[in-house]
Amino acid sequence: MALIRLLELEHFRGIASGVLIPTPGINALIGPGDSGKSTLLDAIDLVLQPRRSASFGDADFHNLDVGKSIVITVTLGNLPPTLLDLDAYGLFLRGWDAGLGGVFDEPAATLEPVLSMRLTVTGDLEPKWSLYSQRAEAEGVAKDLPWSDRVAIAPTRLGAFASHHFSWSPRSVLNRLSDQRASAGQALADAARQARAAFGAQAGVQVADTLKIVDETARDAGVPGGEGALALLDAHGVSFSGGAIALHDAQGVPLRSLGVGSSRLLVASLQAAASDAAKISLIDELEHGLEPYRISRLLHRLGSKTPPSDRQVFLTTHSAVVLRELAASQLWRVLRGPDGRVSARGIGGEEEDQKTVRANAEGFLAPNVLVCEGPTEIGMARGLDLYWTGKGQASLAYLGVAVCDGNGSNMFERAACFGRMGYRTALWRDSDVPLTTAQQTRLDEGGVTQFAWAAPYSTEQQLFHALSEEAILALLDIAEEFNGADSVAQHCKNHGVTVDRDVVVSLGLSASERDALGRAAGKGKWFKWIEPAEKVGRTVLGPYFEKGAAPLPKVLADLRAWMMHDAPGADGEDNPVVI
Amino acid sequence: MSFDLTAHRRGLVVAPAGCGKTQTIVDALKRGVAGVTLVLTHTNAGVSALRERLKKAGVPSGAYRLVTIDGWALRLVANFPQLSGLVVAGLPKIDYPALRKAALKAVVSGALDQPVAATYQRLIVDEYQDCCLDQHALVLALADRLPCCVLGDPLQRIFDFRPGSLPDWDTRVAVDFPVVETFAEPWRWRNAGERDFGLWILRVRDELLAGRGLDLRSAPSNVTWRQKPADANELANAQRDAVLRLKPSAGEGLLVIGDSRRPSTRSDFARKTAGLHVVEPVDLNDFMGAAAELESCRGLERLKATLRVTKEVMTGIDMTALGKRLDSLHRGTAHNSATASEAACLAMLADDGPAAAARVIEAFAREPGARIFRRQIMTAMIDALHRAASKGVSVTEAAIHVRERHRATARALPNRAVGSTLLLKGLEAEHAIILDADDMNARHLYVAISRASKSLTLFSSSNVIRPR
């Protein structure tokens, strides 16, 4: 059954123009709020959902400018034979080039035959659905798919609330499970008549005065029928449609009173079961109301682990749990450029991309990513955040900065991966090992900003070299707190240095003593996990770094400046890519 | 009939006249085989006739797509101008050879293989003997993509106006489409209770195919040979006599087969022979010519042109007498008041619009002495004139519209009709009279004799006819 090859939007809500080239299988749309993820889902829904009409308002036009039309085009491939009919759709068949990611107006032997469906809304707010090809437009020929074909390709949508799927209402997934239809039919019509009979004239007593006036007025005016009018149950008022028939549990409780999570899980699973009929599913905020284990179960039902099939799921998510369950190739980062152009970029299908998603799922959900070499830098970044927040400054969360673990030598790939995806990315590393040319190139390609020390210092060495004696004593306090005084003393001794706090305060530390301490800290792994490093950041680096020796103040000031640059993705991003 | 067209991946069915060719197509579609069958034929009239048969047989319309080869090509090219390399939208006139080549280009590009396979399950082409080289190439290209059976009869190949325009039957058609069946049961005659007559016609066909002559001495009693008198007047009288003598029973039809190259001799024959009607060619040339003439002149000249076309389609008009009457009526010296037709003529002198011209023709058609023998031309002309008046278009434009509408509808055959092999091919009647069999080649002769299911009368100089 038909799959979406290309989605194009013009002038729709927050999107001046936008393009999505999805894959078969799951397409998870991620990106900061207001980037247009839900608008993309709405766009697909509006074009493909069989409707006689839909209500549009001025707010659906980009920037409220109703002078320009909303145009949403969905190009469908993998067409069933009925949609490939030369006689019916010859003028509309087009060719899809998967390699180029583009549509040619006519098919070719090397291209996949596709049909483009277009929704146009002009300033009069009247939506028009039609097949589209350039040549049909040039000839002024307009044609829509017949209703039955539109129903066949219609997507099912799972919004925040799923309860309407539990009755046989027009867009319920229940209608997709089989060809059977619940019909109010004769039985309900009879029930309505019985209700009318049972109700009888009892309302007459309640409105006796009104009836009397009607009676008198009708006599007066000579209107036959108005005289002696009765108040009865209006048979037309008791109307039943398929929507009146709903699923109930064995005790007769309607299923729509299930919890949000349970009902969404059940409906999504039903969507998966209905996939023979409905190949395209739209799911808003997949994680909404679901515990992590139910998220993975649901994704599994939707085909997260099966190879790309002939069905398609479009979902939006803000959950790292969802990301970890998916392959990198199933993720799309939705980006909005300053000009309102929205594009969706694939996270990529390489092994490194996959590892990055698994290890740093949170990073993919923020516009800015700070990749740290290891726990020391992560902890210090968090500590600094706490320090700055305590000073009343903006937090990393507020600034949209995710701190990610680069896991040592993997940090280059991790940072480069984020950078390629268009995230504003920085890498914070130490400088004990010089970068290879290849690593440098990868980082440059990703547009990654680097924060590093003076070579060849490790982070510990840099701290012990650059901070004041007072700060160093605080570092030693933290080292002793987390490692034990004896252990710290032993490490110092091993590196040929003993620390006498009074002497340090009165005489200061020599360069060689600082160097030995730096080595001892590194070798002894004093700060190589998050907790001590966080404390270092909050209680030492924060208060003392500005008075430290070069390059410490500048590195951290630059890092802070990078964090404060809060326009999401503003300069880490090159031109929005039309993929 | 047991033969199943759909059982063959690719094949040619040789179908002599009246041997159930159309029924085979109907049966194939009626079998309820899966998918849609594309049925191609040559003329719009053929499409209408076949559609009628399919409808009558209760074949669901979703089971087939029926269109002319050129019509199919036109739609394809219009839908895919780039693939076919030809833009037809907005062209005033279609260049058919270019159109067929363009459609071929689109099909062989391979771009449409998937849609073609999704749209059609198989292809059937009727009247294959009429396929020109380009059409043959197009059908072959489709046959590479779909199961394809073609039906035809080399001995009914009479539309070969230009030498070399058709693929050779034996070395091309029968090679590209191997013969899977040759029909040999004369169903049309069998159904009329005249199976022996039908078998004789099949034997004649074999003889003609082998290049031998037609020997009337062995003919069954259904066949009457009339020797042509040497004198032209005597021949004309004898021919007329043969038509008048033939008294078909109710519901039976008669086809008179005249000279295919001189249409005027056929209308002359109809004018002089009571009860005969002329079968017109689909392009309605005489009608178009008359329409152009009417448009080119005004006033009295236009009245004259109107009278000429009226005289062309009916008897009972004496132009000389009419001229005198109109003159005296005009000057007020006539003793008798104007008849309805004379009044219409006078009215047209006052107002020479197309509606007035139509009223002239209508008035003469109602005169008691009038016998209309070219009703098709007359109706078309009246339609066109009224259309020109009501739509405010020129007579020629209205005539083109009427002709195109006519082209798309099935020909309703007059009960006693005079035509030619070219016009009557595919049509049938109980009785046929061939006005001059000497002048025909083998194929024309076969088409002519195979029109009749009960009686056949031939004029020829000898009872053994050796076709040209």
Side-chain angles (χ1 to χ4, degrees):
Chain A
M1 193 47 84
L3 298 179
I4 298 175
R5 298 291 185 228
L6 173 66
L7 168 67
E8 299 161 284
L9 302 93
E10 292 289 333
H11 207 59
F12 182 49
R13 297 189 189 155
I15 300 181
S17 68
V19 170
L20 175 67
I21 302 180
T23 56
I26 291 183
N27 295 272
L29 307 180
I30 59 174
D34 291 333
S35 57
K37 301 184 299 292
S38 302
T39 305
L40 293 176
L41 255 54
D42 286 346
I44 295 172
D45 200 15
L46 281 167
V47 176
L48 296 185
Q49 196 69 253
R51 287 180 168 88
R52 309 279 181 198
S53 188
S55 66
F56 284 85
D58 289 2
D60 290 313
F61 290 76
H62 187 60
N63 291 340
L64 297 175
D65 173 10
V66 297
K68 196 169 175 246
S69 299
I70 298 171
V71 180
I72 308 171
T73 312
V74 170
T75 297
L76 296 167
N78 195 40
L79 296 176
T82 49
L83 296 185
L84 282 169
D85 193 313
L86 263 188
D87 299 321
Y89 305 119
L91 193 56
F92 298 93
L93 283 173
R94 308 171 86 199
W96 170 246
D97 189 325
L100 281 179
V103 187
F104 291 83
D105 204 55
E106 290 189 27
T110 51
L111 304 179
E112 183 194 15
V114 290
L115 284 178
S116 295
M117 285 190 65
R118 174 170 281 187
L119 166 65
T120 311
V121 189
T122 49
D124 62 7
L125 305 181
E126 277 301 311
K128 275 203 298 284
W129 286 270
S130 157
L131 289 168
Y132 170 79
S133 73
Q134 285 168 16
R135 54 200 198 278
E137 190 171 66
E139 284 184 35
V141 179
K143 182 171 190 166
D144 195 6
L145 285 181
W147 193 254
S148 57
D149 286 337
R150 289 196 64 178
V151 169
I153 59 170
T156 51
R157 177 134 194 200
L158 179 55
F161 300 99
S163 55
H164 69 281
H165 283 292
F166 292 131
S167 68
W168 273 263
S169 59
R171 278 170 211 144
S172 166
V173 67
L174 296 177
N175 290 319
R176 299 308 191 79
L177 294 171
S178 74
D179 285 336
Q180 298 170 333
R181 293 284 175 276
S183 152
Q186 195 58 41
L188 283 176
D190 289 346
R193 286 188 201 102
Q194 284 167 24
R196 189 166 179 269
F199 186 79
Q202 52 181 285
V205 184
Q206 298 159 14
V207 291
D209 292 348
T210 311
L211 284 176
K212 190 157 173 277
I213 297 170
V214 172
D215 179 55
E216 288 165 4
T217 312
R219 279 175 202 282
D220 218 32
V223 179
E227 317 152 16
L230 299 173
L232 301 177
L233 189 63
D234 183 356
H236 291 290
V238 190
S239 85
F240 292 106
S241 66
I245 303 174
L247 293 176
H248 292 66
D249 70 9
Q251 278 70 47
V253 179
L255 287 195
R256 70 171 159 270
S257 44
L258 279 175
V260 171
S262 296
S263 52
R264 293 183 90 240
L265 181 59
L266 178 54
V267 169
S269 303
L270 288 173
Q271 281 182 329
S275 65
D276 279 347
K279 294 296 193 182
I280 299 171
S281 309
L282 308 172
I283 304 178
D284 298 90
E285 293 292 316
L286 179 116
E287 65 274 14
H288 182 56
L290 294 178
E291 300 84 344
Y293 78 96
R294 288 176 123 185
I295 290 177
S296 36
R297 190 187 292 174
L298 173 54
L299 284 169
H300 201 82
R301 293 284 297 167
L302 292 170
S304 59
K305 304 296 181 213
T306 43
S309 57
D310 68 336
R311 61 179 308 209
Q312 236 170 358
V313 179
F314 294 83
L315 58 91
T316 62
T317 183
H318 294 105
S319 159
V321 178
V322 172
L323 261 59
R324 284 198 196 90
E325 286 295 322
L326 295 174
S329 58
Q330 294 169 327
L331 300 178
W332 294 94
R333 184 177 183 229
V334 179
L335 287 172
R336 179 210 301 279
D339 53 358
R341 290 199 56 166
V342 166
S343 64
R345 228 184 269 205
I347 297 294
E350 290 169 33
E351 203 186 330
E352 280 307 325
D353 300 324
Q354 186 62 59
K355 283 183 184 157
T356 307
V357 171
R358 288 276 144 73
N360 304 118
E362 287 83 359
F364 287 90
L365 299 167
N368 308 285
V369 181
L370 176 62
V371 177
C372 296
E373 172 162 353
T376 315
E377 290 76 17
I378 295 176
M380 292 195 315
R382 290 189 187 174
L384 281 167
D385 183 36
L386 291 171
Y387 172 77
W388 281 318
T389 313
K391 291 276 174 196
Q393 295 183 29
S395 67
L396 289 181
Y398 176 84
L399 294 169
V401 177
V403 176
C404 289
D405 184 358
N407 193 15
S409 58
N410 291 320
M411 64 183 164
F412 303 105
E413 277 307 332
R414 298 277 157 86
C417 172
F418 280 111
R420 282 199 309 277
M421 292 317 119
Y423 290 86
R424 188 166 161 272
T425 310
L427 173 64
W428 189 9
R429 61 177 176 84
D430 60 17
S431 305
D432 46 353
V433 184
L435 287 191
T436 66
T437 318
Q439 286 166 340
Q440 185 63 53
T441 311
R442 293 286 272 168
L443 292 176
D444 290 346
E445 280 169 3
V448 176
T449 309
Q450 295 188 55
F451 299 102
W453 312 122
Y457 289 154
S458 70
T459 297
E460 289 86 347
Q461 284 172 305
Q462 182 68 74
L463 296 188
F464 281 98
H465 268 284
L467 286 169
S468 65
E469 279 77 5
E470 190 186 352
I472 286 176
L473 289 180
L475 284 180
L476 290 169
D477 287 344
I478 295 169
E480 289 178 356
E481 177 187 345
F482 284 90
N483 298 273
D486 293 348
S487 166
V488 170
Q490 186 61 47
H491 288 133
C492 290
K493 200 176 161 197
N494 291 350
H495 287 82
V497 61
T498 43
V499 177
D500 182 325
R501 288 171 191 255
D502 295 339
V503 175
V504 171
V505 172
S506 56
L507 297 178
L509 283 163
S510 69
S512 61
E513 283 171 324
R514 284 173 179 266
D515 196 59
L517 282 172
R519 288 174 197 282
K523 207 67 175 170
K525 301 189 188 318
W526 292 352
F527 310 119
K528 284 225 186 302
W529 73 101
I530 288 176
E531 286 80 0
E534 185 178 298
K535 194 159 184 184
V536 167
R538 184 158 61 93
T539 62
V540 181
L541 274 184
Y544 294 104
F545 82 88
E546 282 170 341
K547 293 194 196 80
L552 185 66
K554 180 166 166 44
V555 170
L556 291 186
D558 287 351
L559 176 63
R560 183 57 181 167
W562 181 87
M563 290 172 174
M564 299 283 284
H565 196 319
D566 61 342
D571 56 20
E573 190 178 297
D574 34 39
N575 292 327
V577 177
V578 178
I579 328 156
Chain B
M1 231 166 300
S2 60
F3 178 72
D4 181 4
L5 264 185
T6 62
H8 300 272
R9 177 72 186 71
R10 182 189 283 210
L12 166 63
V13 175
V14 178
C19 289
K21 177 165 66 82
T22 308
Q23 191 59 42
T24 305
I25 297 174
V26 172
D27 289 344
L29 296 176
K30 220 181 161 178
R31 273 195 178 86
V33 282
V36 174
T37 302
L38 176 61
V39 184
L40 299 177
T41 183
H42 282 267
T43 59
N44 288 313
V47 166
S48 308
L50 189 50
R51 177 162 291 135
E52 208 54 40
R53 281 285 292 272
L54 291 168
K55 220 186 269 177
K56 230 184 245 171
V59 179
S61 62
Y64 61 90
R65 309 271 165 82
L66 173 59
V67 62
T68 64
I69 297 178
D70 288 344
W72 190 84
L74 178 62
R75 190 162 55 198
L76 189 79
V77 171
N79 282 345
F80 303 102
Q82 226 170 300
L83 275 178
S84 58
L86 180 68
V87 178
V88 286
L91 289 186
K93 197 170 182 317
I94 296 161
D95 175 355
Y96 281 97
L99 175 75
R100 293 162 191 152
K101 287 189 171 69
L104 176 66
K105 188 177 168 199
V107 171
V108 298
S109 76
L112 302 175
D113 287 3
Q114 218 184 314
V116 163
T119 310
Y120 313 116
Q121 201 73 29
R122 69 189 61 74
L123 170 64
I124 293 175
V125 189
D126 196 10
E127 306 286 4
Y128 206 76
Q129 71 281 342
D130 297 334
C131 271
C132 67
L133 279 166
D134 288 332
Q135 290 170 329
H136 177 61
L138 179 59
V139 172
L140 260 186
L142 285 172
D144 285 340
R145 291 159 174 85
L146 297 167
C148 174
C149 270
V150 304
L151 304 96
D153 178 6
L155 213 56
Q156 293 182 65
R157 185 178 250 194
I158 54 176
F159 293 102
D160 51 344
F161 305 115
R162 278 183 305 113
S165 63
L166 303 185
D168 185 80
W169 188 266
D170 294 323
T171 62
R172 287 289 302 274
V173 175
V175 171
D176 292 332
F177 294 99
V179 175
V180 290
E181 179 77 6
T182 300
F183 290 155
E185 183 56 40
W187 285 99
R188 188 198 302 164
W189 292 272
R190 192 165 137 171
N191 293 340
E194 302 285 352
R195 182 162 185 265
D196 287 344
F197 182 27
L199 287 173
W200 177 77
I201 292 173
L202 278 176
R203 276 199 302 281
V204 168
R205 181 178 175 279
D206 287 340
E207 293 292 301
L208 292 172
L209 257 184
R212 293 188 288 268
L214 162 57
D215 188 344
L216 292 170
R217 290 170 300 185
S218 63
S221 58
N222 309 69
V223 182
T224 309
W225 174 59
R226 301 280 295 266
Q227 187 162 29
K228 275 163 64 181
D231 177 70
N233 277 335
E234 266 182 57
L235 172 61
N237 286 334
Q239 288 167 330
R240 215 166 20 251
D241 175 63
V243 173
L244 295 175
R245 261 212 239 169
L246 202 100
K247 300 268 189 262
S249 332
E252 290 188 345
L254 162 68
L255 295 178
V256 176
I257 298 159
D259 190 332
S260 64
R261 278 155 300 184
R262 288 181 299 159
S264 64
T265 61
R266 305 197 298 266
S267 19
D268 276 352
F269 191 72
R271 177 188 301 281
K272 288 174 186 149
T273 313
L276 266 194
H277 292 271
V278 175
V279 178
E280 306 289 346
V282 281
D283 57 10
L284 295 182
N285 267 337
D286 291 350
F287 158 66
M288 296 305 292
E293 197 186 337
L294 265 175
E295 188 170 299
S296 68
C297 53
R298 306 301 304 265
L300 180 61
E301 287 310 310
R302 182 174 264 193
L303 173 61
K304 283 182 182 168
T306 307
L307 291 172
R308 273 196 298 279
V309 67
T310 309
K311 193 168 184 301
E312 188 55 45
V313 300
M314 65 183 79
T315 62
I317 298 171
D318 180 342
M319 289 288 252
T320 322
L322 181 63
K324 284 183 188 152
R325 276 285 292 162
L326 290 180
D327 192 44
S328 58
L329 283 165
H330 189 59
R331 286 188 283 131
T333 58
H335 293 297
N336 301 326
S337 56
T339 62
S341 49
E342 289 162 354
C345 291
L346 290 175
M348 194 178 161
L349 283 176
D351 163 19
D352 66 355
R359 283 192 287 272
V360 168
I361 305 173
E362 286 163 340
F364 278 106
R366 277 194 296 267
E367 292 288 341
R371 178 170 60 80
I372 299 148
F373 55 91
R374 298 185 78 179
R375 186 170 291 279
Q376 219 176 343
I377 300 279
M378 184 185 80
T379 313
M381 185 56 82
I382 291 171
D383 280 359
L385 289 169
H386 281 310
R387 184 180 175 81
S390 65
K391 302 270 174 193
V393 295
S394 76
V395 179
T396 311
E397 272 175 81
I400 289 172
H401 176 89
V402 169
R403 180 188 63 184
E404 293 313 308
R405 204 180 50 201
H406 171 264
R407 207 193 272 283
T409 51
R411 288 174 286 175
L413 196 62
N415 219 21
R416 294 161 76 83
V418 58
S420 69
T421 43
L422 294 174
L423 295 176
L424 299 175
K425 182 178 164 297
L427 301 176
E428 56 198 68
E430 284 72 18
H431 309 279
I433 297 173
I434 301 173
L435 295 181
D436 187 351
D438 287 347
D439 209 24
M440 294 175 165
N441 68 20
R443 286 166 288 140
H444 282 268
L445 186 59
Y446 171 67
V447 169
I449 65 171
S450 58
R451 294 309 94 203
S453 60
K454 287 187 174 168
S455 88
L456 173 68
T457 305
L458 295 101
F459 285 85
S460 66
S461 35
S462 156
N463 57 3
V464 179
I465 302 170
R466 306 220 167 271
R468 290 185 288 119

